[in-house]
Amino acid sequence: MADEATVGDVADWWATAICRMAPGVVELRGKPVQELIGSHGFVATIWLMVRGSSPHPREAALLEAAMVASVDHGPQAPSIAIARMTATCGVGLNNAMASGVNALGDSHGGAGQQCVELLSAIVEREAAGDPLEAATEAVVAEFREHSRYVPGFGHRFHPRDPRRDPLLALVDEAVADGVVEGKFLRAALAVEASLNRGRAKPVPMNIDGATAVIYAELGFPAPLARGLFVLSRSVGILAHAWEETTQGRRNKGPMPTSILPTALPAGS
């Protein structure tokens, strides 16, 4: 007969250092929530919850800039379109938001994580003694073995992503002030230079690359880059789902009803 679970066994089942809750007590990472209310910004609280410590105000400002930049990119983004369609199906905002978030994967929403991995591989090679240009060429070649896309660079819509320059300018300032080291920024610029060498049409860094630089410079592991992007884009998903809800349309599909999908020949 198996040993019966003790109270301690049950209490340990979901043991966590993130939150302590008891009658009259709510602590986040050991800090009473009443001390955080009104004194800790939302982005700083995200940092506290996932990292276990509070950021320097300049670190929090840099993270906030990255998250603001990623909030929305319009209904062309599948996650936004899905949330808007779901909102017309007679469900609540939570359903619409969940449907949109569930569309965020490797192709749509994963490039930030992949770019952090790319930049980290370059930084590791450089730390091991490889010159930056050689490290960059080697890592980019490895990525190209399994994908023709280099994550974080180029954009199917923008000739030059309008979010790139202001974000990188903030990173430049943070490097100059000693807030971050700048090694991931150097790696990203080296990738950009490599991709554009000998090309007539430039392939500039995009939002995923610029935010990946920030996440990596701030010390976030690559998987958290995707999680932070999801948090950021959830704001846009909420706004679009709410707008669609207030317009009162029902069962909105992916294209106007006056346009019918192309009917392919049987067996094609």
Side-chain angles (χ1 to χ4, degrees):
M1 181 177 176
D3 294 336
E4 292 185 4
T6 66
V7 172
D9 292 332
V10 176
D12 290 343
W13 189 255
W14 291 119
T16 177
I18 296 173
C19 179
R20 185 172 82 89
M21 188 278 296
V25 175
V26 178
E27 293 179 354
L28 305 180
R29 293 290 189 177
K31 297 180 182 292
V33 71
Q34 61 267 31
E35 295 179 9
L36 297 174
I37 296 171
S39 66
H40 230 60
F42 184 58
V43 168
T45 303
I46 293 171
W47 184 303
L48 173 67
M49 292 293 282
V50 299
R51 301 276 290 268
S53 62
S54 292
H56 183 278
R58 289 288 301 278
E59 293 175 321
L62 198 54
L63 176 59
E64 182 167 9
M67 297 188 72
V68 166
S70 302
V71 158
D72 193 14
H73 198 248
Q76 299 97 332
S79 55
I80 299 294
I82 289 169
R84 294 192 72 116
M85 286 190 289
T86 305
T88 69
C89 296
V91 300
L93 279 175
N94 58 311
N95 301 85
M97 290 186 68
S99 296
V101 167
N102 280 336
L104 298 172
D106 289 344
S107 298
H108 173 41
Q113 175 182 349
Q114 295 155 10
C115 189
V116 172
E117 293 168 348
L118 172 81
L119 301 180
S120 297
I122 293 171
V123 168
E124 288 172 7
R125 280 180 175 265
E126 187 182 19
D130 288 354
L132 177 58
E133 185 174 328
T136 300
E137 296 293 341
V139 172
V140 169
E142 290 173 1
F143 267 73
R144 284 196 180 281
E145 288 178 2
H146 54 79
S147 175
R148 64 191 180 98
Y149 300 106
V150 177
F153 297 86
H155 203 286
R156 63 186 175 86
F157 187 80
H158 301 294
R160 187 178 181 88
D161 196 316
R163 299 162 290 187
R164 173 201 183 277
D165 292 346
L167 288 176
L168 295 191
L170 291 174
V171 179
D172 278 332
E173 292 176 11
V175 172
D177 295 341
V179 178
V180 296
E181 292 184 42
K183 56 188 178 181
F184 294 96
L185 173 61
R186 290 194 302 273
L189 294 175
V191 173
E192 189 173 57
S194 173
L195 294 176
N196 286 291
R197 198 169 291 122
R199 287 182 60 94
K201 185 178 179 181
V203 183
M205 195 184 316
N206 60 32
I207 179 64
D208 296 308
T211 54
V213 168
I214 291 176
Y215 297 145
E217 290 287 354
L218 292 175
F220 286 92
L224 279 180
R226 185 179 304 207
L228 292 169
F229 172 78
V230 171
L231 282 177
S232 176
R233 186 52 59 89
S234 293
V235 178
I237 289 173
L238 170 62
H240 280 274
W242 175 241
E243 180 182 64
E244 197 66 55
T245 298
T246 61
Q247 291 175 351
R249 288 180 281 200
R250 291 165 55 89
N251 298 329
K252 184 177 180 179
M255 64 181 72
T257 55
S258 59
I259 300 175
L260 298 178
T262 300
L264 297 174
S268 62

